[in-house]
Amino acid sequence: MAGLVQNIDLALPDLPILRYWRNRGLKAFEAQGVPTAKTEAWRYTKPRDLNSDDFILSVTLPIITKSEQTQKIPFACYPIIFENGILYSKISEMPSGLCIMPLIDALFMDIETQEQMGIHLDVENYPFAALNTYYLNQGVYIYVDSNVELERPIVLINHSSVGPENLFFNIHNLIVLKKGAKAEFVEYYNYSGAVKSRYFANIVNEIFIEKDAELNHYKVQNEAFKANHVALNMVSVKEGGNYNGFCLQKGANIGRNETKVLLKEKNASARVDAAYIMNGWATLDTTTDIEHLAEETCSEQLVKGVIGGDARGVFQGKIHIAPKAVKTSGKQLHKALLLSDGAEIDVKPELEIFADDVKCSHGAASGELDEEQLFYMQSRGIDREEARQLLIDAYLDEVISRLQNDEISEWIRSLIKENQSIIG
Amino acid sequence: MSKTLLEIEDLYARVGEKEIIKGFNLTINEGEVHAIMGPNGAGKSTLSYVLAGKPGYEVTSGSIKFKGKNLLAMSTEERAREGVFLCMQYPVEIPGVPSSTFMKHSVNAIRKHQNLPELDTMEFIKILREEGRKLGLDNEMIKRPVNVGFSGGEKKRLETLQMAILKPALSILDEADSGLDIDALKVVAEGVNALRDGKRSFLVITHYQRLLNYIVPDYVHVFADGHIVKSGDKNLALELEEKGYAEFVREK
Ligand SMILES: Nc1ncnc2c1ncn2[C@@H]1O[C@H](COP(=O)(O)OP(=O)(O)OP(=O)(O)O)[C@@H](O)[C@H]1O
Ligand SMILES: [Mg+2]
């Protein structure tokens, strides 16, 4: 047993690119450490549990059946299955124009991948991404060739089968959509076993969207209720490209999904939406940082949360508009429904506007369930709990209904309902 | 002899600190239509909320029996399932909940209470469309969130649609005619009349005699200062239309 930094055997220790990143990651993590209350970027989310010294690095693949995991997905897809952070299998059938392989294999074989790796990943400013690259080993490389439009979504499932020990694992994916490519990428984090495990899932996605390409990225975080889940999505979008991100968080004790989008060229656009629902003592954090670096770029964010018990919702949203990014627009809205007196939200919007002729807006609102609405529904025979549920679902549905793929939005609706016991 | 459906005895009720219903008595038998008329602020809507069990409306004394059971001991949803339906003066908007979804939950909650199997979506939509058409509510409106962006008249039609589908034993209509044009008024009245089967009963709260030309009441009551001050047949409504409430308001 030990803390977050441990010395373990990783694949290809002598490959220079891997050595470089592992060393740089270690240095950057040691310089930053686990964030404290003084770390500005982590002001509201305090990952104290991560200072414990009883983490066990997940290195061996438990015995699972792949089909058990893919059965959880009710639509046709290209599955990638991880178990406790370890890749179980590559996808079996791949259409032409799509390549998926372990990231370290891609780094071993391909100079271009080596050059692309980490271009935007300033691990010196992201402690957990630094830690993740120190352990650079697990994760996939996904490549969609020019003008290829995938028929099915790529679905990455990580299933944590947790026992008494507190596992720690890192996944690092690199996703490239070449010019004009179109793809959907789903991430689904779920678990079974000891619900009280304080395991730690530490995820990094580097996403490169080239000219006129489009990625719809859906994520569901449903970890065990004492687990920690920290993810960084580092996205860059070139001319005319589009990133459509959505993340539902409904699990973990500390759950943080952070997305940075670099709108690098003219007409690049992004939507970064999120929904969260939680009670108990958890903190669910949605952090975004949208950088408008070129003219006529456009971004939009709608984040809605439902918080009960003594849980806390955090939204930190930054929009940065660089001097040359004229005629851009950035919209941001966070809304939360508080179901109990102990529920809390912390919202920190930040606008940095250095250009003229831009349209920017941000807003935040929070409220409680409306008694008049509840009474109206009850007066039509619907019991109070069911009425509350309908209102909660409706509240989140404003975000879900924006998703582009109906099969995926139906699936996400069903996951929101699953095992939900949000009593307020 | 028809059976007693609702029996209100010497009811006193308050909202906050203010006593509003004061010594109210009313018995409604199965199949009867009772109209209540009275000046603004008399407590008519308050009475309807007390019957529906709205939080904040506190009964301080008296009793209400519905089908022989103590209505006051039931929650709002239990009352609805037993057959009390309140067609509200100001129907509530519920963004994000499609009217059809809402009504499906409502119908199935009541069916479950009656030990009937739940309707599946297809069956339900068929019924909804049929009844909606009669009330001039098209499919597109039925899919829209409950009352959101509905005009005053459309809201009342949606209330009437729910009444038509739920087929309650007692419908309380609180100013179902307010803000309605003459065609909408007829539509709502037809909705009510279609439900009149000699067993279902209605309590119609209104300011205007006109509605009672379409929904012909068996009894008309004048409600002032928290209780009934005069009762009569449908001709009382005509009389009120002519003379106003001056006579009753002075009494107090
Ligand atoms: N929540 C409340 N708190 C205090 N007073 C209230 C409240 N609700 C109603 N009242 C008062 O109770 C009285 C009766 O109101 P109610 O709405 O029942 O009258 P009404 O007979 O329905 O009038 P109208 O014909 O205008 O609809 C009014 O004086 C009103 O101001
Ligand atoms: Mg009224």
Side-chain angles (χ1 to χ4, degrees):
Chain A
M1 291 199 191
L4 292 177
V5 176
Q6 298 178 25
N7 201 348
I8 57 159
D9 289 338
L10 300 168
L12 305 171
D14 298 324
L15 191 68
I17 181 80
L18 289 175
R19 217 169 46 215
Y20 168 77
W21 276 108
R22 288 167 182 165
N23 284 337
R24 185 174 157 189
L26 178 62
K27 261 197 218 125
F29 180 71
E30 284 180 333
Q32 298 169 88
V34 172
T36 64
K38 290 194 198 111
T39 316
E40 184 56 30
W42 288 79
R43 228 168 94 188
Y44 305 108
T45 303
K46 300 177 181 75
R48 292 189 200 96
D49 279 2
L50 296 179
N51 289 310
S52 337
D53 57 2
D54 59 357
F55 285 107
I56 302 246
L57 272 148
S58 170
V59 284
T60 48
L61 189 66
I63 298 151
I64 55 155
T65 55
K66 181 184 166 194
S67 62
E68 215 173 281
Q69 294 308 315
T70 45
Q71 272 161 17
K72 292 178 179 164
I73 306 298
F75 47 85
C77 65
Y78 308 118
I80 307 166
I81 312 295
F82 285 81
E83 181 81 6
N84 294 347
I86 295 173
L87 183 63
Y88 176 78
S89 69
K90 294 183 293 187
I91 61 163
S92 30
E93 50 174 318
M94 272 188 280
S96 69
L98 171 64
C99 163
I100 300 177
M101 65 171 86
L103 178 60
I104 54 170
D105 292 0
L107 289 170
F108 178 71
M109 290 181 331
D110 183 21
I111 296 292
E112 209 181 309
T113 313
Q114 294 191 7
E115 284 170 353
Q116 198 148 25
M117 164 87 201
I119 309 182
H120 302 300
L121 196 63
D122 44 338
V123 289
E124 288 70 22
N125 293 315
Y126 296 92
F128 293 113
L131 188 63
N132 177 290
T133 51
Y134 166 57
Y135 290 111
L136 190 60
N137 203 24
Q138 286 292 336
V140 289
Y141 172 71
I142 300 174
Y143 176 94
V144 187
D145 214 347
S146 303
N147 299 317
V148 169
E149 195 172 317
L150 294 182
E151 262 172 47
R152 304 176 190 173
I154 300 162
V155 178
L156 184 156
I157 300 176
N158 181 72
H159 173 257
S160 298
S161 51
V162 286
E165 72 285 2
N166 299 321
L167 284 177
F168 171 31
F169 56 83
N170 297 273
I171 297 177
H172 194 124
N173 303 309
L174 203 151
I175 298 159
V176 179
L177 267 67
K178 299 301 278 186
K179 193 168 147 239
K182 256 189 109 172
E184 293 170 300
F185 177 52
V186 178
E187 286 175 273
Y188 180 35
Y189 298 89
N190 68 107
Y191 74 100
S192 63
V195 290
K196 288 190 175 172
S197 169
R198 286 185 291 103
Y199 68 90
F200 176 26
N202 186 20
I203 316 297
V204 172
N205 288 316
E206 294 185 59
I207 297 174
F208 298 87
I209 297 172
E210 302 204 345
K211 188 168 185 286
D212 297 325
E214 179 176 293
L215 180 70
N216 290 326
H217 181 191
Y218 308 86
K219 168 175 174 175
V220 176
Q221 183 271 95
N222 191 15
E223 306 281 17
F225 85 115
K226 291 215 165 171
N228 302 279
H229 179 105
V230 175
L232 175 67
N233 302 288
M234 183 59 77
V235 185
S236 67
V237 189
K238 290 194 176 166
E239 186 181 337
N242 180 226
Y243 172 73
N244 257 321
F246 167 80
C247 175
L248 168 71
Q249 296 202 77
K250 64 168 287 193
N253 181 40
I254 298 289
R256 167 145 156 153
N257 191 61
E258 180 166 4
T259 305
K260 180 165 182 174
V261 182
L262 306 168
L263 298 170
K264 293 176 71 172
E265 292 175 4
K266 195 175 164 181
N267 281 322
S269 63
R271 176 182 277 185
V272 185
D273 286 355
Y276 58 89
I277 177 163
M278 184 48 84
N279 57 9
W281 296 269
T283 301
L284 292 184
D285 175 327
T286 302
T287 293
T288 63
D289 179 359
I290 316 290
E291 300 220 350
H292 291 258
L293 302 171
E295 60 192 48
E296 291 173 57
T297 50
C298 166
S299 72
E300 216 186 309
Q301 298 167 68
L302 176 64
V303 177
K304 290 188 90 174
V306 176
I307 292 288
D310 291 312
R312 190 210 279 249
V314 175
F315 175 67
Q316 309 184 101
K318 183 166 154 190
I319 300 176
H320 171 94
I321 299 189
K324 65 174 180 181
V326 294
K327 296 197 175 77
T328 59
S329 93
K331 281 203 285 186
Q332 179 193 96
L333 182 60
H334 175 265
K335 284 163 116 181
L337 192 54
L338 302 174
L339 298 180
S340 63
D341 293 340
E344 186 184 322
I345 52 161
D346 294 294
V347 178
K348 188 174 85 174
E350 250 182 294
L351 297 184
E352 294 178 348
I353 304 176
F354 297 105
D356 296 327
D357 194 10
V358 300
K359 283 193 205 117
C360 260
S361 66
H362 69 90
S366 65
E368 294 162 17
L369 284 176
D370 185 315
E371 281 300 330
E372 292 290 328
Q373 293 175 348
L374 287 170
F375 169 69
Y376 184 74
M377 297 169 102
Q378 287 174 268
S379 82
R380 303 296 143 95
I382 300 171
D383 70 45
R384 195 175 165 85
E385 261 328 297
E386 192 177 339
R388 284 172 61 104
Q389 196 63 62
L390 278 168
L391 292 180
I392 290 168
D393 291 345
Y395 192 80
L396 295 179
D397 214 61
E398 193 187 342
V399 190
I400 313 303
S401 61
R402 283 156 65 101
L403 304 182
Q404 312 264 336
N405 181 321
D406 290 345
E407 281 180 328
I408 293 177
S409 48
E410 269 317 305
W411 175 63
I412 286 173
R413 283 189 183 99
S414 72
L415 291 176
I416 288 176
K417 290 200 175 79
E418 191 183 88
N419 299 326
Q420 196 193 100
S421 60
I422 189 135
I423 311 298
Chain B
M1 260 269 311
S2 52
K3 282 203 285 185
T4 300
L5 180 69
L6 178 75
E7 204 173 2
I8 307 177
E9 273 183 359
D10 204 25
L11 187 75
Y12 285 79
R14 57 166 69 183
V15 186
E17 289 301 294
K18 197 172 165 196
E19 186 126 272
I20 294 167
I21 307 293
K22 304 167 203 169
F24 186 91
N25 290 284
L26 178 67
T27 299
I28 299 180
N29 293 322
E30 284 185 349
E32 292 176 352
V33 176
H34 290 241
I36 287 187
M37 304 181 80
N40 291 128
K44 302 180 299 295
S45 294
T46 302
L47 175 70
S48 72
Y49 286 140
V50 167
L51 288 169
K54 189 170 184 180
Y57 290 71
E58 189 197 345
V59 172
T60 47
S61 71
S63 68
I64 306 178
K65 278 189 183 151
F66 184 71
K67 295 179 181 166
K69 295 181 203 165
N70 179 6
L71 190 77
L72 295 173
M74 300 179 200
S75 67
T76 296
E77 52 266 44
E78 282 164 349
R79 296 176 196 206
R81 292 170 193 172
E82 286 290 335
V84 176
F85 181 90
L86 172 57
C87 183
M88 291 189 198
Q89 185 171 359
Y90 304 108
V92 179
E93 299 187 1
I94 312 180
V97 179
S99 305
S100 52
T101 307
F102 169 59
M103 287 188 272
K104 186 167 174 250
H105 280 261
S106 167
V107 166
N108 282 334
I110 288 170
R111 286 179 69 92
K112 201 171 147 198
H113 181 73
Q114 296 166 337
N115 286 321
L116 294 169
E118 292 195 357
L119 290 177
D120 71 47
T121 304
M122 294 308 285
E123 273 175 292
F124 175 71
I125 292 292
K126 206 174 137 233
I127 295 171
L128 199 58
R129 285 188 176 166
E130 248 162 54
E131 294 294 335
R133 200 167 37 239
K134 288 188 208 159
L135 293 166
L137 287 168
D138 60 30
N139 299 344
E140 188 269 331
M141 296 231 9
I142 289 167
K143 276 190 239 152
R144 268 160 56 183
V146 179
N147 289 319
V148 177
F150 283 39
S151 73
E154 287 165 346
K155 286 181 182 168
K156 293 294 160 76
R157 285 174 203 239
L158 189 68
E159 294 287 282
T160 313
L161 174 59
Q162 293 178 54
M163 190 167 65
I165 287 173
L166 300 178
K167 300 188 171 40
L170 174 68
S171 303
I172 304 158
L173 286 79
D174 190 3
E175 298 196 26
D177 51 346
S178 70
L180 292 192
D181 64 33
I182 197 74
D183 293 331
L185 187 78
K186 283 184 192 162
V187 165
V188 170
E190 274 162 24
V192 170
N193 290 329
L195 283 174
R196 290 182 73 169
D197 64 347
K199 280 204 73 155
R200 295 196 188 97
S201 309
F202 298 83
L203 182 61
V204 182
I205 298 170
T206 181
H207 284 294
Y208 303 105
Q209 192 274 332
R210 195 176 61 183
L211 177 68
L212 305 179
N213 286 334
Y214 299 102
I215 307 173
V216 182
D218 300 301
Y219 301 93
V220 174
H221 310 280
V222 182
F223 185 1
D225 194 27
H227 58 279
I228 290 174
V229 292
K230 186 169 185 178
S231 297
D233 62 12
K234 62 181 180 191
N235 293 318
L236 180 56
L238 291 166
E239 212 178 291
L240 288 169
E241 185 94 339
E242 219 171 278
K243 297 191 193 156
Y245 301 111
E247 178 191 340
F248 307 107
V249 176
R250 227 182 298 126
E251 249 179 30
K252 137 188 167 184

